[in-house]
Amino acid sequence: MSFEYLAVFAPLLGFLITFLFGQKIGARGAQIVTCGLMFVAAFSAVALFNSVILGGTHYVVPLAEWISSDFFVVNWALRFDTLSVVMMCVVTIVSTCVHVYSVGYMSHDPHRTRFMAYLSLFTFAMLMLVSADNLLQLFFGWEGVGLASYLLIGFWNSKDSANSAAMKAFIVNRVGDFGLALGIMAIFVVFGSVDFETIFAAVESKKDLTVNFIGFDIHAMTLIGLLLFTGAVGKSAQLGLHTWLPDAMEGPTPVSALIHAATMVTAGVFLVARFSPLFEYAPIALMVITIVGACTALVAATIGLTQFDIKRVIAYSTMSQLGYMFFALGVSAYGAAIFHLMTHAFFKALLFLGAGSVIHAMSDEQDMRKMGGIWKKIPFTYAMMWIGSLALAGVPLFAGYYSKDMILEVAYADQSWFGNLAFIFGITAAVLTAFYSWRLILMTFHGKPRADKHVMEHIHESPPVMTAPLAVLAVGAILSGAVFYNGFVGGAHHGDDHGAGAAAIHADVTPHAGDEEHHGTPVEASVTHEGEHSAAHDSQTSHFAALHDRNMFWQNAIQVLPENDTVEAAHNVPFWVKKLPILMSGLGIALAYIFYLLVPTLPALFARAFKPLHSLFFRKWYFDELYDAAFVKNTLRLGHLFTKSDRKIIDRFGPDGAASASSFVARISSRFQSGFVYQYAFVMIIGLVVFMLWLAPIDVLSIGEHIRNLLGRSE
Amino acid sequence: MFDLPVLSLMTFLPLVGVLFIVSVRGSNEEVSARNAKNTALFTSLFTVALAVYLAVQFDVSDAGFQFVEKYSWFPSLGISYYMGVDGISLFFVLLSAMLVPICILASWHAIKKRVKEYMIAFLVLESLMIGTFCALDSFLFYVFFEAVLIPMFIIIGVWGGPRRVYSAYKFFLYTLLGSVLMLVALLTLYVQLGTSDIPTLMENPVARDLQIWLWLAVFASFAVKMPMWPVHTWLPDAHVEAPTAGSVILAGVLLKMGGYGFLRFSLPMFPEASELFAPMVFWLSVIAIIYTSLVALVQEDMKKLIAYSSVAHMGYVTLGIFTATTQGIEGGIFQMISHGLISGALFLSVGVIYDRLHTREINRYGGIVKNMPKYATVFMILMLGSVGLPGTSGFVGEFLTLVGVYQVNTLVAVFAATGLILGAPYMLYLYRRVVFGKQMNDDAAKMSDLTKREMTLFVPLVALVLYLGIFPGYVMDRLHPSVDRLITLYESGLQKGEERRLAALSGDASTVAQIKPAAGMSEQEVTFVPAIAPSYAGKEDLPMPIINYNE
């Protein structure tokens, strides 16, 4: 069996076996099956990295037909190019770590079989998402990871808070999906297909198209870009639709690490990067992305300053880092965004799993105010948290240094007002990031122990099954930046022929993709890139050449217009721009030491001195309160109102009205049946008169005259 | 070609079962009840076997009607017993045949009084449902379509809950008005075109003004059946009072008759009117989707909640059908099939816990995932289907419909797509309150998990929901030729209308005289008599035995 199938379907197999036969194989069996298959998937993904990225190729593996309705044709297919393979590697490696870690972390949970099944289900859905060859399959994965997220946030389903958080995550994400779904429809109407190849090949010819959308004529690419971005906002917890992410920390910690830090929440970044050929022609959409990303980075960081729940601090940090990725996308530095996505996946998963190890050691305590002074008791975890934080703060040699600095540089290099805004916000957020990271370390590990004796006695280092994954992730958090820097975002150093021009949209991409016959023939699509394939090999000197050349690395998975190539420009930014982030991080770390170790009274002092600002941050900018008042309450109110209107209006004037009207008529008419003969006789006479009058040829209008005649005669 | 009159067999086999039940007596009440149950189950399973035969023998490439049977019924009036299925009706026949044995099995222990009569009612219902979807003569259709009301009315009225009488009469009142109007419409068509042959009627749309009146008349009937907002209020009451199996059939098949009617009558026979009224249908559908989703959110009664969700889901169906695009119509039909499976199964799952605790109140449950894990899993999959998660059949129909709508009107599509958001909360909230949470009620915490019999009910439904979500091809392939044909008919109908209008404008006297729009409904203006539909002529070559039912 080939690696393509194994990488994607091994987790599915793990899920199915565990889900269907969980009772037979038991918890231990489930753990072995799911972890074993995850190892298979991760190995396959790495093998694909070798063959696809280093081998300089990309192709599509068709699977089966999904939906076919006239010219709306969608197939199940797996797409392997640099972007998807990078994502697959990140997903499978982090997921394998989390699977193994969960064996230890959930060892006392009675439902650990189900837990392992859900983790594998998630991984499968995520792999379907990143390997999708069309928008609808992407949507399948998109909703699938949403489902897994819902199931895992609410995993402890007898807890009300967990259930609420799960529902919130699902529904808020659906708001984003609403935009994404409309985006898919818009793409179908504009391009006549939802296949990536077809769309990307036709983008250039439709770049000036305007379409009518709800009565307005809008530039098609801008419309599509903004709609797709709406989906990304929901999934990646960007400002506006972010409220679900902190609440999602109700789920078990391995879930937070895998889904709500490393993989699922980055799906939005992936989506935008995947659609780089289209976004390149939607500058307004890119501007919106930059602004939203910059604001998210800053706002989330400010909230992170004030939180006390260890997981929530990391959650806001995640949100903030996602903001960085988005403004990188917004300035067309897709490679930089994906680079940060990868490094972030390692160090954030490390931080979360480290936090999980702390929580595990502290007998399920998550409040940092009840921690402190434990670093000697759990030195390994402590070291891991240091590595994660150093990477997050962007300290030199650690992974975050390479990716985060790159993002700040591209923002500066964009030379636009929103690029500058992103740069300023990003720099500010960098100080805050370093500050809250060390605040977390110092509050958790240093100072006097604030937990009760009983808890302190039980503090112990986690078992190897939990620490080993931490070590693996730590390696990633240290090395992934330095090793992959040149591949993801390196400068042009192979001479002028590999300059910005080579990063430009390749004119030869799928020359016949626009053909009608092209739809629904994935086999054909899989052989379209042979030309480039060999071209990549020609210039290849060693097997790892792709790791040194950005254009060879990405092939055409990401496409940037020459004038938008900010990654190239970023290598030429002024010296101070390159050094400022490190200074800022140092400042943040120093401040944290002053606040939380040297002068521990300072935080309370500052909180009092800047009361309104502190409340704003502590209350998370009042988003939850606002949404509750504006949407939740009003929705319920409308529901009650409409329920009433069903009874009081529709039924009253409909069937009940008709029924009561008929019974009213019946009641009236039943009075006539009085039993008195004289009444019957009277009614009969009246009836007779009416009948006669009707028969008589009397003109209705002249009836007055008739009466007058009658009266006149009597006089 | 088709030796076995499989449609007639499917339609009348249940009645044979009825005869058996009536004639076989048991030594006592219990034995006769058991006999009745067994007979009903076997009869309905036989029908399923025939349905399988039908599905296997169905010619995928043929857009027209297959398995055609045509016998003269009232020769003097030209009314015939005319049956046949195409890709559209096939699935409704299959759905009906599939749900009835499930219903019978679901009532196995739940129904304790008048078991014999109950089983008879269900078999009669099955016969009439299948007949409705097979009938190709408008009067035959009318007879089946309206007669379905009777057993359903009885099932709610006799075996229903405490407010069953109110519900039954409400159900009846709503449908009555529509029925009368539809009869008038069918009679008018018959008088105008001189035939009650549905395929012929489909190919010969009447004049525009008349179309408008007739469209409104049949709309009254089908809109109530769907049900569309604002004539939906009978549905929650009917569901709440109906026994479990009654709800399953009601949601699973009866609601689909409205959609089927739109596809068979409104769209092909009155294309110009359909085009004219499409915006109205769109907005009514959008209102239905939003309004009923919100109403569902605040319900305390499980069945009411699911009933309201049905109205919202049917909103997509009407939306899709009247876009007259391939994706819209196919999406609408797929949505009906999917909803038949999902909501049928959802009502079954309500029935499962109702049988144990005898209440539909959501707050009486809670935390039952602990004692009923299998049930929780089944219910979860169904809930996700209802929410329209990709990978379940719910998604395919909903999304195709939206794709269809988007092509026609983006504003409507935006409003309809809010259903993606609004469709989730009420189901998640229901699930959370019933299945998750703390176990607040001791009796709910003691309920036993699904029995083997109950699993048997769910397995085929859940399997189909997932299968059709991942590989909808089986349905789509069979739908497509017939839907294509339907759209061709619709468009040629519009074309004819346009030609007539142009002819009238240009003042071509002879043309005007011939196809002058009927201002009133007077007979003098009926001037053209249609040729018998040529595309069906091939199947009439077979020697047709003439059965005179009047003798």
Side-chain angles (χ1 to χ4, degrees):
Chain A
M1 206 186 223
S2 64
F3 292 130
E4 286 85 358
Y5 294 102
L6 281 177
V8 176
F9 292 108
L12 176 67
L13 188 66
F15 163 70
L16 288 176
I17 293 174
T18 319
F19 181 73
L20 295 175
F21 310 109
Q23 282 184 326
K24 288 208 182 92
I25 60 177
R28 180 57 61 188
Q31 287 161 349
I32 292 168
V33 166
T34 50
C35 291
L37 285 164
M38 273 318 301
F39 272 112
V40 171
F43 179 77
S44 310
V46 173
L48 287 168
F49 186 92
N50 182 52
S51 65
V52 172
I53 297 177
L54 300 182
T57 176
H58 46 134
Y59 49 89
V60 173
V61 177
L63 298 174
E65 182 188 88
W66 186 12
I67 301 173
S68 152
S69 173
D70 205 14
F71 51 95
F72 184 85
V73 181
V74 183
N75 292 302
W76 295 110
L78 303 177
R79 181 190 177 88
F80 297 93
D81 62 6
T82 304
L83 185 59
S84 59
V85 171
V86 165
M87 292 299 289
M88 289 171 98
C89 289
V90 171
V91 170
T92 50
I93 291 171
V94 176
S95 180
T96 309
C97 291
V98 169
H99 269 79
V100 174
Y101 181 90
S102 303
V103 172
Y105 191 82
M106 303 297 282
S107 58
H108 303 300
D109 196 288
H111 299 294
R112 50 193 185 277
T113 311
R114 187 158 55 92
F115 187 78
M116 299 310 282
Y118 288 168
L119 281 184
S120 286
L121 172 68
F122 166 79
T123 312
F124 166 67
M126 191 71 204
L127 290 168
M128 285 301 269
L129 194 167
V130 299
S131 66
D133 185 44
N134 60 64
L135 267 168
L136 219 57
Q137 186 180 329
L138 186 143
F139 195 66
F140 168 85
W142 190 270
E143 295 284 285
V145 293
L147 165 68
S149 163
Y150 162 80
L151 291 172
L152 285 165
I153 295 171
F155 182 73
W156 288 315
N157 55 37
S158 50
K159 260 169 78 183
D160 267 346
S161 56
N163 290 329
S164 300
M167 266 181 73
K168 189 171 171 183
F170 197 98
I171 293 163
V172 174
N173 265 299
R174 276 260 154 167
V175 178
D177 298 347
F178 160 79
L180 179 56
L182 285 172
I184 297 175
M185 292 167 216
I187 281 186
F188 175 67
V189 169
V190 170
F191 293 99
S193 171
V194 291
D195 285 343
F196 291 157
E197 295 292 348
T198 318
I199 297 168
F200 298 157
V203 167
E204 201 172 1
S205 63
K206 310 219 177 213
K207 65 181 178 189
D208 296 321
L209 186 74
T210 53
V211 287
N212 190 291
F213 183 72
I214 57 169
F216 301 97
D217 286 321
I218 303 176
H219 178 226
M221 298 307 135
T222 305
L223 171 73
I224 291 169
L226 289 175
L227 287 173
L228 293 182
F229 178 57
T230 313
V233 168
K235 196 60 88 195
S236 294
Q238 293 299 287
L239 209 57
L241 297 178
H242 66 280
T243 54
W244 65 271
L245 182 61
D247 289 16
M249 298 302 126
E250 288 290 341
T253 308
V255 173
S256 312
L258 176 62
I259 302 182
H260 305 119
T263 55
M264 183 188 84
V265 288
T266 61
V269 180
F270 167 78
L271 174 69
V272 177
R274 173 57 88 204
F275 272 82
S276 60
L278 190 147
F279 276 101
E280 282 300 288
Y281 291 105
I284 296 174
L286 285 179
M287 182 185 79
V288 172
I289 293 175
T290 314
I291 295 168
V292 171
C295 294
T296 308
L298 185 62
V299 168
T302 61
I303 302 173
L305 292 179
T306 58
Q307 300 301 306
F308 289 112
D309 184 315
I310 186 170
K311 285 179 68 182
R312 280 185 188 241
V313 174
I314 308 178
Y316 280 108
S317 157
T318 305
M319 185 179 149
S320 172
Q321 296 301 309
L322 290 166
Y324 277 91
M325 295 175 211
F326 272 100
F327 72 68
L329 295 170
V331 297
S332 293
Y334 308 99
I338 297 296
F339 187 35
H340 194 52
L341 187 160
M342 182 191 70
T343 58
H344 174 260
F346 288 117
F347 65 71
K348 194 50 67 69
L350 176 66
L351 279 172
F352 259 120
L353 292 185
S357 181
V358 172
I359 295 166
H360 196 68
M362 298 287 294
S363 313
D364 295 332
E365 181 57 64
Q366 301 194 10
D367 192 333
M368 295 192 298
R369 282 169 300 190
K370 293 179 186 162
M371 296 178 181
I374 54 173
W375 70 274
K376 278 182 187 155
K377 296 198 173 188
I378 44 174
F380 184 80
T381 306
Y382 178 62
M384 291 300 118
M385 291 299 276
W386 259 91
I387 294 173
S389 298
L390 286 168
L392 171 63
V395 172
L397 302 180
F398 290 89
Y401 167 72
Y402 296 94
S403 56
K404 195 165 150 189
D405 281 16
M406 190 66 208
I407 285 180
L408 290 168
E409 285 160 22
V410 294
Y412 181 85
D414 192 52
Q415 300 289 347
S416 59
W417 69 267
F418 50 88
N420 289 334
L421 177 95
F423 179 70
I424 295 166
F425 278 19
I427 285 285
T428 317
V431 185
L432 304 178
T433 306
F435 181 82
Y436 66 64
S437 300
W438 265 265
R439 172 179 178 261
L440 187 149
I441 287 188
L442 296 173
M443 278 187 85
T444 308
F445 294 103
H446 293 270
K448 283 186 190 127
R450 292 181 293 272
D452 61 47
K453 255 192 191 150
H454 188 70
V455 173
M456 287 304 285
E457 277 164 16
H458 281 81
I459 292 180
H460 56 277
E461 189 56 271
S462 302
V465 73
M466 285 167 72
T467 50
L470 285 177
V472 173
L473 290 171
V475 171
I478 297 168
L479 293 181
S480 62
V483 171
F484 295 106
Y485 180 80
N486 281 325
F488 276 82
V489 292
H493 50 179
H494 277 274
D496 288 331
D497 56 319
H498 276 293
I505 290 182
H506 297 251
D508 61 336
V509 188
T510 59
H512 61 279
D515 294 355
E516 278 305 308
E517 311 91 294
H518 189 66
H519 313 296
T521 52
V523 190
E524 208 181 327
S526 65
V527 296
T528 48
H529 298 291
E530 276 176 322
E532 288 165 57
H533 184 163
S534 53
H537 273 287
D538 289 344
S539 62
Q540 184 176 327
T541 46
S542 85
H543 185 61
F544 296 101
L547 288 184
H548 302 293
D549 184 327
R550 176 158 60 101
N551 299 314
M552 262 177 76
F553 183 83
W554 285 111
Q555 301 171 62
N556 61 357
I558 281 175
Q559 296 176 19
V560 187
L561 292 176
E563 63 267 30
N564 287 355
D565 193 8
T566 47
V567 173
E568 193 55 46
H571 291 286
N572 304 316
V573 292
F575 180 74
W576 66 270
V577 175
K578 291 196 175 200
K579 294 303 163 204
L580 192 59
I582 310 164
L583 275 179
M584 288 299 175
S585 297
L587 178 67
I589 297 171
L591 279 175
Y593 267 97
I594 295 171
F595 269 64
Y596 289 94
L597 210 63
L598 302 178
V599 197
T601 49
L602 264 184
L605 206 69
F606 264 75
R608 240 175 291 134
F610 302 97
K611 183 79 188 149
L613 204 60
H614 179 264
S615 324
L616 180 69
F617 296 167
F618 189 67
R619 295 253 155 209
K620 310 153 206 162
W621 294 57
Y622 299 101
F623 271 100
D624 278 324
E625 287 81 356
L626 185 75
Y627 285 176
D628 193 50
F631 301 117
V632 181
K633 289 223 171 78
N634 282 331
T635 307
L636 289 174
R637 207 171 289 156
L638 268 180
H640 284 292
L641 183 76
F642 288 159
T643 312
K644 249 184 219 159
S645 80
D646 256 18
R647 288 267 164 270
K648 297 269 165 71
I649 299 174
I650 296 178
D651 277 357
R652 187 158 166 206
F653 296 103
D656 291 358
S660 58
S662 60
S663 70
F664 176 74
V665 172
R667 235 186 351 267
I668 298 289
S669 42
S670 70
R671 291 211 188 123
F672 287 103
Q673 300 189 358
S674 56
F676 296 110
V677 177
Y678 69 90
Q679 283 186 354
Y680 290 174
F682 181 70
V683 171
M684 274 166 73
I685 287 166
I686 288 184
L688 198 65
V689 168
V690 170
F691 188 62
M692 299 272 291
L693 283 174
W694 187 50
L695 282 184
I698 303 173
D699 188 344
V700 182
L701 290 174
S702 60
I703 196 158
E705 208 173 315
H706 281 273
I707 294 170
R708 219 173 298 129
N709 284 346
L710 284 170
L711 292 175
R713 218 171 283 158
S714 67
E715 270 174 14
Chain B
M1 200 158 79
F2 304 109
D3 301 316
L4 200 62
V6 60
L7 298 181
S8 292
L9 278 176
M10 283 183 75
T11 307
F12 295 109
L13 189 73
L15 294 185
V16 176
V18 169
L19 279 182
F20 269 106
I21 295 178
V22 171
S23 56
V24 174
R25 285 168 195 279
S27 50
N28 59 36
E29 189 77 7
E30 202 180 316
V31 176
S32 81
R34 201 176 60 220
N35 286 341
K37 285 194 271 196
N38 284 330
T39 317
L41 184 63
F42 278 112
T43 315
S44 58
L45 285 176
F46 259 118
T47 319
V48 171
L50 285 170
V52 171
Y53 174 82
L54 181 73
V56 171
Q57 291 289 314
F58 189 85
D59 179 0
V60 186
S61 57
D62 189 349
F65 292 99
Q66 308 183 25
F67 304 95
V68 172
E69 298 165 41
K70 192 171 188 181
Y71 309 99
S72 187
W73 189 9
F74 298 107
S76 54
L77 298 174
I79 297 173
S80 47
Y81 172 83
Y82 186 7
M83 307 278 268
V85 290
D86 64 355
I88 297 172
S89 48
L90 171 72
F91 291 101
F92 296 109
V93 173
L94 298 182
L95 190 64
S96 314
M98 180 186 167
L99 284 178
V100 170
I102 289 177
C103 284
I104 288 169
L105 210 55
S107 316
W108 212 252
H109 301 302
I111 298 298
K112 297 206 163 61
K113 60 168 189 176
R114 298 174 196 266
V115 178
K116 210 162 122 177
E117 287 81 358
Y118 183 86
M119 295 299 157
I120 291 173
F122 260 92
L123 289 178
V124 171
L125 192 58
E126 174 168 32
S127 152
L128 296 172
M129 288 187 308
I130 294 176
T132 307
F133 294 123
C134 296
L136 290 182
D137 181 284
S138 61
F139 290 109
L140 187 65
F141 172 83
Y142 185 78
V143 169
F144 281 127
F145 184 82
E146 293 305 334
V148 165
L149 275 184
I150 300 164
M152 199 63 221
F153 183 76
I154 293 171
I155 288 170
I156 296 175
V158 177
W159 293 276
R163 273 162 58 87
R164 57 182 183 264
V165 175
Y166 172 77
S167 297
Y169 99 75
K170 201 169 177 183
F171 174 56
F172 199 78
L173 259 183
Y174 258 121
T175 29
L176 188 72
L177 178 74
S179 307
V180 173
L181 289 174
M182 187 167 80
L183 182 61
V184 172
L186 293 181
L187 279 170
T188 313
L189 270 180
Y190 175 72
V191 170
Q192 287 274 306
L193 297 176
T195 180
S196 56
D197 208 45
I198 288 178
T200 314
L201 293 175
M202 280 163 68
E203 289 179 1
N204 297 282
V206 291
R208 182 186 161 91
D209 289 9
L210 185 55
Q211 275 189 27
I212 291 172
W213 289 107
L214 298 183
W215 188 94
L216 286 171
V218 297
F219 180 74
S221 179
F222 298 143
V224 167
K225 270 272 163 44
M226 269 321 276
M228 289 178 74
W229 186 88
V231 287
H232 66 281
T233 59
W234 62 270
L235 186 72
D237 283 310
H239 269 308
V240 163
E241 300 305 326
T244 300
S247 287
V248 173
I249 286 292
L250 191 55
V253 182
L254 259 56
L255 301 190
K256 277 71 201 172
M257 291 182 174
Y260 177 73
F262 284 135
L263 291 164
R264 249 325 157 250
F265 289 83
S266 305
L267 221 47
M269 293 184 198
F270 318 121
E272 288 171 81
S274 295
E275 196 190 33
L276 179 71
F277 287 114
M280 180 187 85
V281 176
F282 290 163
W283 289 110
L284 287 178
S285 311
V286 165
I287 293 173
I289 291 170
I290 297 172
Y291 180 104
T292 48
S293 297
L294 292 175
V295 173
L297 194 58
V298 298
Q299 297 307 308
E300 295 297 326
D301 181 310
M302 282 190 269
K303 271 189 155 181
K304 225 171 208 179
L305 192 153
I306 298 168
Y308 274 113
S309 84
S310 293
V311 182
H313 285 131
M314 289 297 110
Y316 281 104
V317 176
T318 43
L319 207 53
I321 290 175
F322 281 95
T323 60
T325 58
T326 311
Q327 289 84 29
I329 294 177
E330 292 185 358
I333 298 170
F334 202 91
Q335 172 82 343
M336 283 197 267
I337 298 162
S338 156
H339 178 264
L341 300 170
I342 294 172
S343 71
L346 276 173
F347 279 114
L348 278 181
S349 22
V350 173
V352 165
I353 48 178
Y354 181 83
D355 286 347
R356 287 162 173 69
L357 220 58
H358 298 286
T359 175
R360 298 180 311 266
E361 210 182 313
I362 294 171
N363 290 334
R364 290 282 289 105
Y365 298 91
I368 62 174
V369 64
K370 284 216 175 69
N371 46 320
M372 304 177 76
K374 278 186 207 156
Y375 175 79
T377 307
V378 167
F379 196 14
M380 171 65 80
I381 296 171
L382 296 172
M383 177 197 85
L384 296 172
S386 174
V387 169
L389 204 82
T392 65
S393 59
F395 171 73
V396 180
E398 203 170 280
F399 200 84
L400 275 178
T401 307
L402 287 173
V403 168
V405 177
Y406 191 94
Q407 294 168 50
V408 176
N409 187 332
T410 48
L411 187 62
V412 173
V414 169
F415 276 103
T418 58
L420 287 177
I421 308 170
L422 295 172
Y426 59 80
M427 286 312 288
L428 296 178
Y429 195 37
L430 168 73
Y431 193 83
R432 176 192 162 176
R433 285 187 291 171
V434 172
V435 180
F436 288 157
K438 289 197 181 68
Q439 296 198 317
M440 308 290 274
N441 305 297
D442 290 344
D443 43 359
K446 280 188 199 114
M447 295 192 299
S448 56
D449 207 351
L450 294 181
T451 62
K452 278 219 175 94
R453 177 183 62 88
E454 285 163 339
M455 270 312 252
T456 321
L457 302 177
F458 284 115
V459 165
L461 293 172
V462 169
L464 271 178
V465 167
L466 293 176
Y467 179 76
L468 291 180
I470 300 166
F471 302 108
Y474 181 85
V475 174
M476 303 300 289
D477 292 349
R478 282 157 184 76
L479 276 183
H480 189 66
S482 297
V483 171
D484 235 17
R485 209 185 99 80
L486 175 64
I487 291 176
T488 314
L489 280 175
Y490 172 80
E491 274 163 3
S492 76
L494 288 181
Q495 183 84 26
K496 273 180 208 164
E498 187 67 8
E499 277 162 16
R500 281 181 218 172
R501 201 179 59 84
L502 287 176
L505 279 178
S506 68
D508 183 338
S510 61
T511 327
V512 175
Q514 210 177 30
I515 53 156
K516 182 178 167 188
M521 295 191 189
S522 54
E523 284 175 30
Q524 289 94 326
E525 291 177 21
V526 185
T527 44
F528 71 97
V529 179
I532 293 299
S535 58
Y536 298 101
K539 287 172 188 118
E540 285 151 22
D541 293 342
L542 299 163
M544 292 284 182
I546 303 292
I547 299 171
N548 194 338
Y549 286 87
N550 289 333
E551 280 180 10

